[in-house]
Amino acid sequence: MSNPQMSDSQAKNPSAARASSNQQTFAGRGVYDAIIVGAGFSGLYQLHCLRDKLGLTAVVLEAGDGVGVTWYWNRYPGARCDSESHTYCYYFNDDLLTQWQWSERYPGQAEILKYLNFCADKLDLRRDIRLNQRVNLAVWDAAAESWQVETAAGLQLTSRFLITAVGCLSSANMPDIEGASSFDGAIYHTGEWPHQAVEFSGKSVVVIGTGSTGIQAIPVIAQQADNLVVLQRTPNFSVPARNAPLADGFHQTFTQNIDLWRQKMQLSRHGHPWVAPPRNLHETPEDERNAILEAGWQAGGLGFRESFCDVLLDSRSNDIMSDFIRAKIRDIVDDPATAEMLVPYDHPFGTKRPPIDTDYFETYNRDNVGLVDIRDNPINRIEASGVCLEDGTHIAADIIVFATGFDAMTGALLKMGIVGRDRLTLADAWAEGPQTYLGLAIHGFPNLLTITGPGSPSVLTNMPRAIEQHIDWITTLLARAKAQSITLVEAELSAMQDWTNHVTAVANDTLLPRAGHSWYLGANVPGKPRVFMPYCKGLDVFRAHCEQVAADGYPGFSFC
Ligand code: N01
């Protein structure tokens, strides 16, 4: 493989080619083996693999003015990862693992952002990252067998391959509410949080949304605001995170056992360092299962759900676990009426992404916090002084925080203006819902690779593990393309359709689709097609399948 507009001498000397193409880039035009869109966990590692392992010319185009993507934009109060810190990082390089030391059980947003900047520096990635370059058009040029990419800032680049690393949860879902522009106070979306601190003290605040984000932000905002009203459409399950500083000596013990941690995560369905024991909840005697659930609750975190292996498979087991959490909510919340409003009733536990929290339910015991159920009495409009509900109730506010989530998995990809073969737009190709082969390739879009795209395990896993798996696989594919002078790689239509049907079928074998309004199904965005998007059979199963595809010579892909 060589760059479409690269001379022979440049092809033989990638660093000379890089220098040359960078010069062209600064002049406004450039040509590359690969353009990578997004400088978060995915984009940084993909750049390292292509540039430093394969010797390809690659550039990252990043919309923000810094690296980080999810962790660059999501700066809301309380923003923290739900994966444990020593697992929520790159594992491809032991030096990075050894040199970076986490401070808490779960890493906060600022610490993750610092970590990603540390990695960008350690791997010397910045010289091939262009910041403030939001891609808004990417057109396949069949004659040149390359992608013509344009950014909102006017940069135009060409590349053989286009690799999206835009994150699954990076396109904010902002409800269109009448009157929002007339509001006298400030409106924020958690996914587009300002860089400067937001002052809540002395203010009346309304938070809309009780997903993972709202559940993280509400307790922190409540401590600062004069008065906080939460507008809840659907009550949510949540399990205590039990965050705490890491013990002295944790890092040293960890670095002596890196291979063990790596191995544990490889074996896991979710890419976390644990595997559910082979015991069914409903078949476990009551005393025993209560003790296990209580121990899981006290330990906290996403591991609670994995105390038994059948919670997402058998509604009898799920009912028991869901009831256990409902009882905890009633126990924690002092006011019985508020507790009942907070008790989830319309979806089995874990069928929406389960949040973990620090004092979420406890926050409703504070005098300055109120809860309003807007399921049957939705927001009617926003006025100068606050939010108005359908029944005429007016809730005064100085600040409104939308914790209303994302146009997940497809939103950021569709915003890039991708146009494939025969002028087919991605928006048209996905009009009935996203279709991919293995989550990473789309028929009709040659040489486009979508890291953690719809149809991949991604959001059901500890993300860095899923990201590394996809990128390692893409890197092997491109190494083969380079070695064999392959210039075109495309998913076959039947392979894409079969994979998409398989993703749906395996989801239907579980309880997951029962949360009819979840973002997994695209149901949180009005008008979005309802397709269960992530692959739920497990990262371990997915990895083995991808490795088999590679070993078998990539069935389902056509090469030229
Ligand atoms: O978004 P959500 P999120 N009017 O879609 C409500 C990841 N994450 O940002 O349930 C009123 O889950 C909506 O109500 P309903 C994690 O994967 C990770 O919280 O649709 N309300 C819901 O309550 C997570 O799952 C970390 O009825 C409206 C809320 O807003 C994903 O991000 C930390 C509304 C949205 O919940 C998304 O979480 C935080 C409207 N028009 C988040 N529209 C990590 O640890 C929506 N809602 C890495």
Side-chain angles (χ1 to χ4, degrees):
M1 177 173 51
S2 67
N3 193 299
Q5 296 177 28
M6 206 187 280
S7 70
D8 284 346
S9 63
Q10 286 173 332
K12 283 179 195 138
N13 182 351
S15 57
R18 184 158 55 241
S20 162
S21 53
N22 279 352
Q23 280 160 11
Q24 290 177 40
T25 302
F26 290 127
R29 291 197 72 82
V31 287
Y32 294 89
D33 286 326
I35 291 173
I36 300 160
V37 186
F41 266 103
S42 307
L44 297 179
Y45 181 43
Q46 185 68 83
L47 172 62
H48 171 64
C49 287
L50 297 189
R51 190 191 70 181
D52 303 332
K53 291 187 181 168
L54 301 190
L56 301 181
T57 57
V59 66
V60 176
L61 301 180
E62 165 53 50
D65 71 358
V67 304
V69 186
T70 294
W71 300 106
Y72 173 90
W73 299 106
N74 284 266
R75 296 163 185 254
Y76 60 86
R80 188 174 291 286
C81 183
D82 292 348
S83 296
E84 299 195 12
S85 52
H86 62 293
T87 71
Y88 194 77
C89 46
Y90 293 124
Y91 265 69
F92 67 85
N93 178 321
D94 281 6
D95 285 346
L96 292 178
L97 284 166
T98 312
Q99 289 168 22
W100 182 264
Q101 192 164 339
W102 296 101
S103 66
E104 293 176 275
R105 178 176 175 185
Y106 303 96
Q109 174 269 334
E111 194 168 9
I112 303 171
L113 193 59
K114 207 165 154 196
Y115 167 75
L116 288 170
N117 277 281
F118 158 82
C119 295
D121 289 331
K122 279 282 166 195
L123 300 171
D124 187 22
L125 299 175
R126 292 189 199 277
R127 62 189 158 93
D128 290 308
I129 299 173
R130 306 284 171 269
L131 300 175
N132 299 306
Q133 298 294 343
R134 182 178 292 282
V135 172
N136 59 9
L137 191 63
V139 179
W140 174 248
D141 179 340
E145 293 186 336
S146 62
W147 284 94
Q148 312 291 330
V149 176
E150 271 182 43
T151 71
L155 191 64
Q156 296 180 321
L157 304 173
T158 301
S159 67
R160 177 74 77 201
F161 285 90
L162 177 63
I163 303 180
T164 61
V166 287
C168 299
L169 296 156
S170 51
S171 176
N173 172 37
M174 188 67 173
D176 185 13
I177 299 178
E178 190 191 323
S181 60
S182 67
F183 184 54
D184 275 347
I187 292 181
Y188 303 105
H189 190 286
T190 47
E192 293 172 348
W193 202 258
H195 286 210
Q196 68 278 15
V198 174
E199 188 56 65
F200 291 106
S201 64
K203 301 278 180 13
S204 290
V205 182
V206 164
V207 173
I208 303 169
T210 53
S212 296
T213 301
I215 281 174
Q216 285 186 333
I218 286 163
V220 181
I221 296 174
Q223 286 168 20
Q224 300 167 20
D226 255 22
N227 178 46
L228 168 64
V229 178
V230 177
L231 303 188
Q232 172 189 271
R233 192 164 67 178
T234 312
N236 212 341
F237 291 99
S238 184
V239 173
R242 312 273 182 222
N243 188 34
L246 288 169
D248 289 346
F250 178 90
H251 183 68
Q252 196 186 0
T253 315
F254 165 67
T255 51
Q256 287 161 357
N257 294 285
I258 288 173
D259 283 340
L260 191 65
W261 287 103
R262 191 180 275 124
Q263 202 181 10
K264 280 186 188 188
M265 291 187 284
Q266 287 263 338
L267 293 173
S268 148
R269 204 160 66 88
H270 293 292
H272 291 290
W274 58 72
V275 173
R279 59 182 174 215
N280 292 341
L281 177 45
H282 74 278
E283 286 169 353
T284 305
E286 194 171 342
D287 283 359
E288 200 184 321
R289 74 192 183 210
N290 283 344
I292 293 168
L293 288 170
E294 186 59 34
W297 185 266
Q298 292 310 326
L302 294 173
F304 172 78
R305 192 183 56 189
E306 303 294 304
S307 322
F308 296 89
C309 67
D310 62 338
V311 173
L312 286 179
L313 299 173
D314 190 319
S315 53
R316 289 167 297 181
S317 292
N318 194 295
D319 285 348
I320 296 167
M321 196 174 257
S322 297
D323 280 344
F324 178 88
I325 303 175
R326 292 184 184 111
K328 287 289 183 192
I329 297 170
R330 293 186 176 108
D331 231 32
I332 296 168
V333 179
D334 295 339
D335 173 42
T338 305
E340 280 321 302
M341 278 167 66
L342 287 165
V343 167
Y345 53 84
D346 75 337
H347 64 284
F349 170 61
T351 56
K352 289 172 82 171
R353 159 65 152 74
I356 64 172
D357 71 272
T358 300
D359 296 336
Y360 174 64
F361 294 114
E362 289 83 348
T363 295
Y364 293 96
N365 295 334
R366 295 176 64 101
D367 290 340
N368 68 333
V369 176
L371 178 66
V372 175
D373 181 350
I374 58 166
R375 161 125 330 231
D376 298 320
N377 183 23
I379 298 169
N380 175 270
R381 64 189 182 282
I382 293 175
E383 297 177 337
S385 58
V387 180
C388 223
L389 306 183
E390 287 272 305
D391 71 352
T393 306
H394 180 268
I395 302 161
D398 303 308
I399 296 176
I400 303 173
V401 175
F402 283 85
T404 45
F406 303 92
D407 183 355
M409 303 204 79
T410 57
L413 291 170
L414 292 172
K415 277 184 182 167
M416 284 171 52
I418 297 173
V419 184
R421 211 162 14 80
D422 303 326
R423 314 301 295 170
L424 176 67
T425 66
L426 189 59
D428 282 344
W430 284 0
E432 306 294 319
Q435 297 205 49
T436 68
Y437 181 35
L438 303 175
L440 52 70
I442 308 162
H443 179 71
F445 297 81
N447 292 2
L448 171 67
L449 297 161
T450 51
I451 301 167
T452 65
S456 71
S458 56
V459 290
L460 297 178
T461 72
N462 176 23
M463 283 298 280
R465 299 290 72 74
I467 286 168
E468 284 184 346
Q469 184 275 335
H470 250 185
I471 291 172
D472 290 343
W473 198 90
I474 288 171
T475 304
T476 305
L477 175 73
L478 295 199
R480 174 190 157 132
K482 182 183 179 194
Q484 300 181 3
S485 299
I486 289 166
T487 54
L488 273 181
V489 179
E490 186 177 350
E492 289 167 2
L493 179 62
S494 59
M496 180 175 78
Q497 289 169 338
D498 288 351
W499 182 255
T500 305
N501 292 338
H502 174 61
V503 171
T504 302
V506 294
N508 287 339
D509 287 341
T510 73
L511 305 179
L512 283 161
R514 293 211 193 166
H517 52 288
S518 90
W519 59 259
Y520 291 155
L521 272 167
N524 63 325
V525 176
K528 188 167 172 171
R530 305 259 168 128
V531 173
F532 194 87
M533 293 182 284
Y535 178 66
C536 73
K537 201 104 175 96
L539 181 56
D540 51 341
V541 173
F542 181 76
R543 181 185 297 109
H545 181 75
C546 289
E547 283 170 5
Q548 195 59 52
V549 169
D552 291 347
Y554 299 93
F557 285 95
S558 56
F559 295 99
C560 292

